[in-house]
């Protein structure tokens, strides 16, 4: 899965799960400030990403995630391990 495909899937998840407007989902968008996610939303998103990758995501891996780009990078790293 390419970074572009990961971004497209993540964008769909954010729109579907949290009603984030499509135009708000950019690589630079901050999850908590710009997209208005909270810690519960972040957990829900991680669960969904685990389903996508088929791999367990360690909470530590997402502690430093702040932007959509960070999420794309972490998922890409998981898929290429």
């Amino acid at each position: 899965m390419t970074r572009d495909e990961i971004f497209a899937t993540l964008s769909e998840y954010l729109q579907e799960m949290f009603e984030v407007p499509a135009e708000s989902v950019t690589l630079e968008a901050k999850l908590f400030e710009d997209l208005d996610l909270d810690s519960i939303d972040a957990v829900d998103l991680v669960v969904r990403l685990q389903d996508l990758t088929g791999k367990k995501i360690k909470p530590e891996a997402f502690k430093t995630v702040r932007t959509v780009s960070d999420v794309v990078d972490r998922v890409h790293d998981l898929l290429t391990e």
Side-chain angles (χ1 to χ4, degrees):
M1 190 173 237
T2 68
R3 289 180 193 277
D4 288 341
E5 292 168 330
I6 294 166
F7 174 73
T9 302
L10 177 60
S11 179
E12 287 174 23
Y13 288 171
L14 291 167
Q15 293 169 58
E16 171 192 314
M17 296 169 67
F18 311 113
E19 299 176 3
V20 173
E23 62 275 6
S24 297
V25 182
T26 65
L27 287 172
E28 298 79 30
K30 294 183 177 117
L31 298 173
F32 303 106
E33 295 89 349
D34 299 335
L35 304 184
D36 205 28
L37 301 188
D38 60 27
S39 57
I40 302 297
D41 295 337
V43 170
D44 291 341
L45 184 59
V46 166
V47 169
R48 196 73 183 268
L49 293 170
Q50 286 181 159
D51 292 342
L52 173 69
T53 62
K55 297 184 179 195
K56 179 97 172 104
I57 298 174
K58 296 182 183 90
E60 308 84 60
F62 270 76
K63 287 238 190 273
T64 60
V65 167
R66 299 287 175 259
T67 65
V68 170
S69 180
D70 293 339
V71 177
V72 171
D73 291 342
R74 294 304 182 290
V75 171
H76 187 264
D77 291 347
L78 271 174
L79 291 171
T80 56
E81 282 182 346

